[in-house]
Amino acid sequence: MDTIKDEVINLLVPIFGAGIKDMVEKYFDADNPQELIDMAHELLAKFMGNKNTDKEINEIIKKFKINVRLY
Amino acid sequence: MRKKSSLLFTLSIVIFLLIFPLISADDNEGGLTRGDLIIPVEAIIFLFMTGAIILNAKIVLKFGKSLYGTPFIYILFGLILMELTRILYMLFDFRFLNLSHETLNFLWHMVFYIGMVSFIIALQKIKNTAQGNKKGIFSKKDYYLLSSLGILTVILLIIAFPLDRWLNSAYVGSAADKLGLQHFLAFILAGLLASYLLWIKINKEYSGEFVSTIITPFLLFLILMSLNHFWELLTENWKIILLSDEIIEKVEQLFWLPASIILFYGFLSLNKIIKKSI
């Protein structure tokens, strides 16, 4: 089963290219979902705006039923 | 951003005023060049356009064929064609292109249209993504489309030479020529492109900071290009302002120089934001 980290990578790679995978692998931990979600949200918002990003990130939050906040 | 835009606009006017005294109708008969262009100005245009192309290529290299990278592949192609139009003029001025002035005019407009179409496809993809469609990744369809545009450009460059005489007899002086049809086509494409740019700018909450950074420079570029076509319409087609070819071409450089600097600045800003974020 995919971890939240895999899910974030699966979301970001088609958008930003394969290079983003190494960055997420290297600097982020699946044990810290808040940090992962913050990073993904910040990056995606710069690409597709806040409204589209909230939708994408909320889907991940719902799927993993994690207790994180969107800033 | 508004402050930066007014700064860019002021810069354009300053450049315009600085170069204006350099414009003269010196027909360089038998010289190294035809005297249509101010060579140092053309060299600066070439440098800034090349700079913009390199900065755009850096984005393409970083993001590849991803959803974010794909529109920049089309923009890169469009930028290369824009630079090609200036290279054609440079080659003509240095007497490397053995074409009539009218055929060169026709040729650069055709290459310009293909570049504009490439920009429009890029912005359509950005708009689609902003509307929630995530199918904009570089596909086989994009590969064929870009290849077709590339082949069309090469064909145009090749057929311009055998068509030179025909174009002069069939097109020059025709109703389309007198009306300035080629400029109206450019205006239509510029209008279409501007509508996409404005949509992206207005819907910032759906398109994000990465893309909106280059919207204002692109809009300014479009305005300057439209002014360039309007200038040609007044001088070459409608002949409301009667001037020699040497003067007309030199004034056109006044539009291209700030346009190339603005594009370079736009891609430089975008690269900085990307570097800071990823």
Side-chain angles (χ1 to χ4, degrees), chain A residues 11 13-20 23 42-52 55-56, chain B residues 62-63 66-69 129-132 134 137 204-211 273 277-278:
Chain A
L11 173 66
V13 166
I15 295 172
F16 296 107
I20 200 86
M23 192 267 280
E42 196 188 329
L43 264 184
L44 283 174
K46 281 181 179 167
F47 170 66
M48 51 170 66
N50 279 320
K51 293 195 176 172
N52 285 325
K55 201 177 129 205
E56 295 285 343
Chain B
K62 189 171 180 80
F63 297 107
S66 66
L67 208 52
Y68 187 63
T129 306
Q131 287 175 326
K134 292 208 293 180
I137 294 173
K204 204 179 167 182
E205 71 269 35
Y206 293 100
S207 50
E209 189 187 358
F210 279 164
V211 171
I273 288 177
S277 309
I278 302 179

Short mmCIF file of all heavy atoms in Angstrom, two decimals, chain A residues 11 13-20 23 42-52 55-56, chain B residues 62-63 66-69 129-132 134 137 204-211 273 277-278:
data_model
loop_
_atom_site.label_atom_id
_atom_site.label_comp_id
_atom_site.label_asym_id
_atom_site.label_seq_id
_atom_site.Cartn_x
_atom_site.Cartn_y
_atom_site.Cartn_z
N LEU A 11 1.52 12.62 -7.04
CA LEU A 11 0.79 13.82 -7.42
C LEU A 11 1.74 14.83 -8.08
O LEU A 11 1.40 15.46 -9.09
CB LEU A 11 0.15 14.46 -6.17
CG LEU A 11 -0.52 15.82 -6.33
CD1 LEU A 11 -1.77 15.71 -7.23
CD2 LEU A 11 -0.94 16.39 -4.98
N VAL A 13 5.01 14.37 -9.44
CA VAL A 13 5.86 14.00 -10.58
C VAL A 13 5.23 14.34 -11.95
O VAL A 13 5.89 14.95 -12.79
CB VAL A 13 6.32 12.53 -10.49
CG1 VAL A 13 6.91 12.05 -11.82
CG2 VAL A 13 7.36 12.37 -9.39
N PRO A 14 3.95 14.00 -12.19
CA PRO A 14 3.40 14.35 -13.52
C PRO A 14 3.34 15.87 -13.73
O PRO A 14 3.33 16.33 -14.86
CB PRO A 14 1.98 13.78 -13.49
CG PRO A 14 1.94 12.85 -12.35
CD PRO A 14 2.96 13.29 -11.37
N ILE A 15 3.31 16.61 -12.64
CA ILE A 15 3.19 18.07 -12.77
C ILE A 15 4.55 18.73 -12.93
O ILE A 15 4.75 19.58 -13.80
CB ILE A 15 2.43 18.66 -11.56
CG1 ILE A 15 0.99 18.12 -11.57
CG2 ILE A 15 2.44 20.19 -11.57
CD1 ILE A 15 0.18 18.44 -10.35
N PHE A 16 5.51 18.32 -12.08
CA PHE A 16 6.82 19.01 -12.10
C PHE A 16 7.95 18.19 -12.70
O PHE A 16 9.08 18.66 -12.75
CB PHE A 16 7.19 19.44 -10.68
CG PHE A 16 6.25 20.45 -10.10
CD1 PHE A 16 5.34 20.11 -9.11
CD2 PHE A 16 6.24 21.75 -10.58
CE1 PHE A 16 4.46 21.04 -8.60
CE2 PHE A 16 5.36 22.70 -10.07
CZ PHE A 16 4.47 22.34 -9.08
N GLY A 17 7.70 17.00 -13.12
CA GLY A 17 8.75 16.17 -13.71
C GLY A 17 9.42 15.26 -12.68
O GLY A 17 9.23 15.42 -11.47
N ALA A 18 10.22 14.32 -13.20
CA ALA A 18 10.82 13.29 -12.34
C ALA A 18 11.78 13.86 -11.30
O ALA A 18 11.99 13.26 -10.24
CB ALA A 18 11.53 12.27 -13.22
N GLY A 19 12.35 15.03 -11.57
CA GLY A 19 13.34 15.63 -10.66
C GLY A 19 12.78 15.89 -9.27
O GLY A 19 13.52 15.85 -8.28
N ILE A 20 11.49 16.11 -9.19
CA ILE A 20 10.86 16.44 -7.90
C ILE A 20 10.89 15.23 -6.95
O ILE A 20 10.92 15.38 -5.72
CB ILE A 20 9.40 16.95 -8.12
CG1 ILE A 20 8.90 17.74 -6.91
CG2 ILE A 20 8.44 15.85 -8.44
CD1 ILE A 20 9.25 19.16 -6.92
N MET A 23 13.90 15.14 -4.68
CA MET A 23 13.81 16.16 -3.63
C MET A 23 12.90 15.69 -2.49
O MET A 23 13.26 15.79 -1.32
CB MET A 23 13.27 17.46 -4.26
CG MET A 23 13.37 18.70 -3.40
SD MET A 23 11.91 19.02 -2.43
CE MET A 23 10.82 19.78 -3.62
N GLU A 42 2.32 24.23 -0.94
CA GLU A 42 3.02 25.46 -1.33
C GLU A 42 3.43 25.39 -2.81
O GLU A 42 3.25 26.33 -3.58
CB GLU A 42 4.25 25.65 -0.44
CG GLU A 42 4.79 27.07 -0.53
CD GLU A 42 6.11 27.24 0.19
OE1 GLU A 42 6.34 26.55 1.19
OE2 GLU A 42 6.91 28.08 -0.28
N LEU A 43 3.99 24.22 -3.18
CA LEU A 43 4.45 24.05 -4.57
C LEU A 43 3.29 24.08 -5.55
O LEU A 43 3.33 24.79 -6.57
CB LEU A 43 5.15 22.70 -4.71
CG LEU A 43 6.66 22.68 -4.61
CD1 LEU A 43 7.17 21.27 -4.87
CD2 LEU A 43 7.29 23.64 -5.60
N LEU A 44 2.27 23.30 -5.24
CA LEU A 44 1.13 23.21 -6.16
C LEU A 44 0.41 24.54 -6.31
O LEU A 44 -0.02 24.91 -7.40
CB LEU A 44 0.14 22.15 -5.68
CG LEU A 44 0.54 20.71 -5.94
CD1 LEU A 44 -0.45 19.77 -5.30
CD2 LEU A 44 0.59 20.44 -7.44
N ALA A 45 0.29 25.28 -5.20
CA ALA A 45 -0.41 26.57 -5.25
C ALA A 45 0.30 27.52 -6.21
O ALA A 45 -0.34 28.32 -6.89
CB ALA A 45 -0.51 27.17 -3.87
N LYS A 46 1.63 27.41 -6.26
CA LYS A 46 2.37 28.29 -7.17
C LYS A 46 2.15 27.90 -8.62
O LYS A 46 2.36 28.69 -9.53
CB LYS A 46 3.87 28.23 -6.84
CG LYS A 46 4.20 29.08 -5.63
CD LYS A 46 5.65 29.05 -5.30
CE LYS A 46 5.91 29.93 -4.11
NZ LYS A 46 7.23 29.73 -3.53
N PHE A 47 1.75 26.65 -8.82
CA PHE A 47 1.55 26.18 -10.19
C PHE A 47 0.09 26.28 -10.62
O PHE A 47 -0.21 26.71 -11.73
CB PHE A 47 2.02 24.73 -10.29
CG PHE A 47 1.63 24.08 -11.59
CD1 PHE A 47 2.16 24.53 -12.79
CD2 PHE A 47 0.71 23.05 -11.62
CE1 PHE A 47 1.79 23.95 -13.99
CE2 PHE A 47 0.34 22.46 -12.82
CZ PHE A 47 0.88 22.91 -14.00
N MET A 48 -0.84 25.85 -9.75
CA MET A 48 -2.24 25.81 -10.19
C MET A 48 -3.17 26.65 -9.31
O MET A 48 -4.39 26.53 -9.43
CB MET A 48 -2.73 24.36 -10.26
CG MET A 48 -2.48 23.53 -9.02
SD MET A 48 -3.30 21.93 -9.03
CE MET A 48 -2.48 21.09 -10.33
N GLY A 49 -2.59 27.51 -8.48
CA GLY A 49 -3.42 28.39 -7.65
C GLY A 49 -3.98 27.67 -6.43
O GLY A 49 -3.99 26.45 -6.34
N ASN A 50 -4.46 28.46 -5.47
CA ASN A 50 -4.92 27.90 -4.19
C ASN A 50 -6.15 27.01 -4.31
O ASN A 50 -6.22 25.97 -3.67
CB ASN A 50 -5.22 29.05 -3.21
CG ASN A 50 -3.94 29.56 -2.58
OD1 ASN A 50 -3.05 28.77 -2.23
ND2 ASN A 50 -3.82 30.87 -2.45
N LYS A 51 -7.11 27.43 -5.14
CA LYS A 51 -8.38 26.68 -5.19
C LYS A 51 -8.19 25.26 -5.73
O LYS A 51 -8.69 24.30 -5.14
CB LYS A 51 -9.41 27.45 -6.02
CG LYS A 51 -9.81 28.73 -5.32
CD LYS A 51 -11.05 29.32 -5.89
CE LYS A 51 -11.42 30.56 -5.06
NZ LYS A 51 -12.50 31.33 -5.62
N ASN A 52 -7.44 25.13 -6.84
CA ASN A 52 -7.18 23.79 -7.39
C ASN A 52 -6.34 22.96 -6.42
O ASN A 52 -6.55 21.75 -6.28
CB ASN A 52 -6.42 23.90 -8.72
CG ASN A 52 -7.32 24.35 -9.86
OD1 ASN A 52 -8.48 23.99 -9.90
ND2 ASN A 52 -6.78 25.13 -10.77
N LYS A 55 -8.21 21.41 -3.48
CA LYS A 55 -8.99 20.24 -3.92
C LYS A 55 -8.08 18.99 -3.96
O LYS A 55 -8.44 17.94 -3.44
CB LYS A 55 -9.56 20.54 -5.31
CG LYS A 55 -10.76 19.69 -5.68
CD LYS A 55 -11.29 20.11 -7.03
CE LYS A 55 -11.43 18.88 -7.89
NZ LYS A 55 -11.38 19.14 -9.31
N GLU A 56 -6.91 19.16 -4.57
CA GLU A 56 -5.97 18.03 -4.73
C GLU A 56 -5.51 17.52 -3.35
O GLU A 56 -5.48 16.32 -3.10
CB GLU A 56 -4.74 18.46 -5.53
CG GLU A 56 -5.00 18.84 -6.97
CD GLU A 56 -5.27 17.64 -7.87
OE1 GLU A 56 -4.94 16.50 -7.48
OE2 GLU A 56 -5.83 17.86 -8.96
N LYS B 62 14.48 21.42 -16.61
CA LYS B 62 14.13 21.08 -15.22
C LYS B 62 12.84 20.29 -15.14
O LYS B 62 12.74 19.31 -14.40
CB LYS B 62 14.01 22.37 -14.41
CG LYS B 62 13.87 22.14 -12.91
CD LYS B 62 13.97 23.43 -12.14
CE LYS B 62 13.84 23.21 -10.66
NZ LYS B 62 15.03 22.75 -10.00
N PHE B 63 11.83 20.71 -15.90
CA PHE B 63 10.51 20.08 -15.74
C PHE B 63 10.15 19.09 -16.85
O PHE B 63 9.13 18.40 -16.75
CB PHE B 63 9.43 21.17 -15.66
CG PHE B 63 9.59 22.05 -14.46
CD1 PHE B 63 10.04 23.35 -14.58
CD2 PHE B 63 9.32 21.57 -13.19
CE1 PHE B 63 10.21 24.17 -13.48
CE2 PHE B 63 9.49 22.37 -12.07
CZ PHE B 63 9.95 23.68 -12.22
N SER B 66 6.60 17.26 -18.29
CA SER B 66 5.54 17.25 -17.28
C SER B 66 4.47 18.29 -17.60
O SER B 66 4.59 19.04 -18.56
CB SER B 66 6.15 17.56 -15.91
OG SER B 66 6.65 18.88 -15.91
N LEU B 67 3.45 18.31 -16.75
CA LEU B 67 2.35 19.25 -16.93
C LEU B 67 2.85 20.69 -16.93
O LEU B 67 2.35 21.54 -17.67
CB LEU B 67 1.36 19.04 -15.78
CG LEU B 67 -0.11 19.37 -16.00
CD1 LEU B 67 -0.67 18.71 -17.23
CD2 LEU B 67 -0.92 19.00 -14.78
N TYR B 68 3.82 20.97 -16.06
CA TYR B 68 4.38 22.33 -16.00
C TYR B 68 5.36 22.59 -17.13
O TYR B 68 5.43 23.70 -17.66
CB TYR B 68 5.06 22.57 -14.64
CG TYR B 68 5.49 24.01 -14.46
CD1 TYR B 68 4.54 25.03 -14.44
CD2 TYR B 68 6.83 24.35 -14.34
CE1 TYR B 68 4.92 26.35 -14.31
CE2 TYR B 68 7.21 25.67 -14.20
CZ TYR B 68 6.26 26.67 -14.19
OH TYR B 68 6.63 27.98 -14.07
N GLY B 69 6.14 21.56 -17.51
CA GLY B 69 7.17 21.73 -18.53
C GLY B 69 6.62 21.86 -19.95
O GLY B 69 7.17 22.60 -20.77
N THR B 129 -5.03 23.50 -17.51
CA THR B 129 -4.58 23.03 -16.19
C THR B 129 -5.27 23.84 -15.10
O THR B 129 -5.73 23.28 -14.10
CB THR B 129 -3.05 23.18 -16.06
OG1 THR B 129 -2.45 22.51 -17.16
CG2 THR B 129 -2.54 22.58 -14.77
N ALA B 130 -5.34 25.16 -15.30
CA ALA B 130 -5.99 26.01 -14.30
C ALA B 130 -7.46 25.64 -14.14
O ALA B 130 -8.03 25.81 -13.07
CB ALA B 130 -5.85 27.47 -14.71
N GLN B 131 -8.05 25.11 -15.21
CA GLN B 131 -9.47 24.72 -15.14
C GLN B 131 -9.65 23.30 -14.61
O GLN B 131 -10.73 22.75 -14.66
CB GLN B 131 -10.11 24.85 -16.53
CG GLN B 131 -10.33 26.31 -16.92
CD GLN B 131 -10.86 26.46 -18.33
OE1 GLN B 131 -10.51 25.69 -19.21
NE2 GLN B 131 -11.67 27.48 -18.55
N GLY B 132 -8.53 22.71 -14.14
CA GLY B 132 -8.61 21.41 -13.49
C GLY B 132 -8.35 20.22 -14.39
O GLY B 132 -8.44 19.07 -13.95
N LYS B 134 -5.94 17.78 -16.08
CA LYS B 134 -4.52 17.42 -15.89
C LYS B 134 -3.99 16.55 -17.04
O LYS B 134 -3.10 15.72 -16.86
CB LYS B 134 -4.36 16.69 -14.54
CG LYS B 134 -4.62 17.66 -13.38
CD LYS B 134 -3.88 17.31 -12.11
CE LYS B 134 -4.35 16.05 -11.49
NZ LYS B 134 -3.67 15.68 -10.28
N ILE B 137 0.08 16.84 -20.26
CA ILE B 137 1.45 16.31 -20.34
C ILE B 137 1.84 16.09 -21.80
O ILE B 137 0.99 15.71 -22.62
CB ILE B 137 1.55 15.00 -19.53
CG1 ILE B 137 1.34 15.31 -18.03
CG2 ILE B 137 2.89 14.31 -19.72
CD1 ILE B 137 1.23 14.11 -17.16
N LYS B 204 -5.89 34.24 -11.13
CA LYS B 204 -4.63 33.89 -10.49
C LYS B 204 -4.80 32.77 -9.46
O LYS B 204 -3.90 31.95 -9.27
CB LYS B 204 -4.03 35.13 -9.84
CG LYS B 204 -2.53 35.05 -9.68
CD LYS B 204 -1.97 36.29 -9.04
CE LYS B 204 -0.53 36.04 -8.60
NZ LYS B 204 0.05 37.19 -7.94
N GLU B 205 -5.96 32.75 -8.80
CA GLU B 205 -6.16 31.72 -7.76
C GLU B 205 -6.24 30.32 -8.35
O GLU B 205 -6.18 29.33 -7.63
CB GLU B 205 -7.37 32.04 -6.87
CG GLU B 205 -8.73 31.90 -7.52
CD GLU B 205 -9.22 33.19 -8.17
OE1 GLU B 205 -8.42 33.97 -8.71
OE2 GLU B 205 -10.43 33.40 -8.16
N TYR B 206 -6.39 30.25 -9.69
CA TYR B 206 -6.41 28.94 -10.36
C TYR B 206 -5.13 28.67 -11.14
O TYR B 206 -4.87 27.54 -11.53
CB TYR B 206 -7.60 28.85 -11.33
CG TYR B 206 -8.93 28.84 -10.65
CD1 TYR B 206 -9.70 29.99 -10.57
CD2 TYR B 206 -9.42 27.68 -10.05
CE1 TYR B 206 -10.93 29.99 -9.93
CE2 TYR B 206 -10.64 27.66 -9.41
CZ TYR B 206 -11.40 28.83 -9.35
OH TYR B 206 -12.61 28.82 -8.72
N SER B 207 -4.35 29.71 -11.41
CA SER B 207 -3.16 29.50 -12.25
C SER B 207 -1.83 29.62 -11.50
O SER B 207 -0.82 29.11 -11.96
CB SER B 207 -3.17 30.48 -13.43
OG SER B 207 -3.40 31.78 -13.00
N GLY B 208 -1.81 30.29 -10.37
CA GLY B 208 -0.62 30.31 -9.53
C GLY B 208 0.46 31.29 -9.92
O GLY B 208 0.45 31.88 -11.01
N GLU B 209 1.43 31.44 -9.01
CA GLU B 209 2.48 32.45 -9.14
C GLU B 209 3.49 32.12 -10.25
O GLU B 209 4.00 33.01 -10.94
CB GLU B 209 3.21 32.55 -7.79
CG GLU B 209 4.19 33.69 -7.67
CD GLU B 209 4.99 33.61 -6.39
OE1 GLU B 209 4.75 32.69 -5.57
OE2 GLU B 209 5.88 34.45 -6.22
N PHE B 210 3.79 30.82 -10.42
CA PHE B 210 4.79 30.41 -11.41
C PHE B 210 4.48 30.94 -12.80
O PHE B 210 5.36 31.41 -13.50
CB PHE B 210 4.87 28.88 -11.50
CG PHE B 210 5.69 28.25 -10.41
CD1 PHE B 210 5.59 26.89 -10.17
CD2 PHE B 210 6.56 28.99 -9.64
CE1 PHE B 210 6.34 26.29 -9.17
CE2 PHE B 210 7.31 28.40 -8.64
CZ PHE B 210 7.20 27.05 -8.41
N VAL B 211 3.23 30.82 -13.19
CA VAL B 211 2.85 31.22 -14.54
C VAL B 211 2.58 32.72 -14.62
O VAL B 211 3.00 33.39 -15.55
CB VAL B 211 1.62 30.41 -15.01
CG1 VAL B 211 1.11 30.95 -16.31
CG2 VAL B 211 2.01 28.94 -15.19
N ILE B 273 12.11 32.67 -9.20
CA ILE B 273 11.02 32.14 -8.35
C ILE B 273 11.08 30.62 -8.29
O ILE B 273 10.93 30.02 -7.22
CB ILE B 273 9.65 32.62 -8.89
CG1 ILE B 273 9.50 34.11 -8.60
CG2 ILE B 273 8.50 31.85 -8.26
CD1 ILE B 273 8.23 34.72 -9.13
N SER B 277 11.81 28.16 -5.02
CA SER B 277 10.75 27.26 -4.57
C SER B 277 11.10 25.79 -4.65
O SER B 277 10.69 24.99 -3.82
CB SER B 277 9.48 27.48 -5.40
OG SER B 277 9.14 28.83 -5.44
N ILE B 278 11.84 25.39 -5.68
CA ILE B 278 12.11 23.95 -5.87
C ILE B 278 13.61 23.68 -5.84
O ILE B 278 14.34 24.24 -6.61
CB ILE B 278 11.52 23.44 -7.22
CG1 ILE B 278 10.02 23.71 -7.26
CG2 ILE B 278 11.78 21.93 -7.38
CD1 ILE B 278 9.32 23.30 -8.52
#
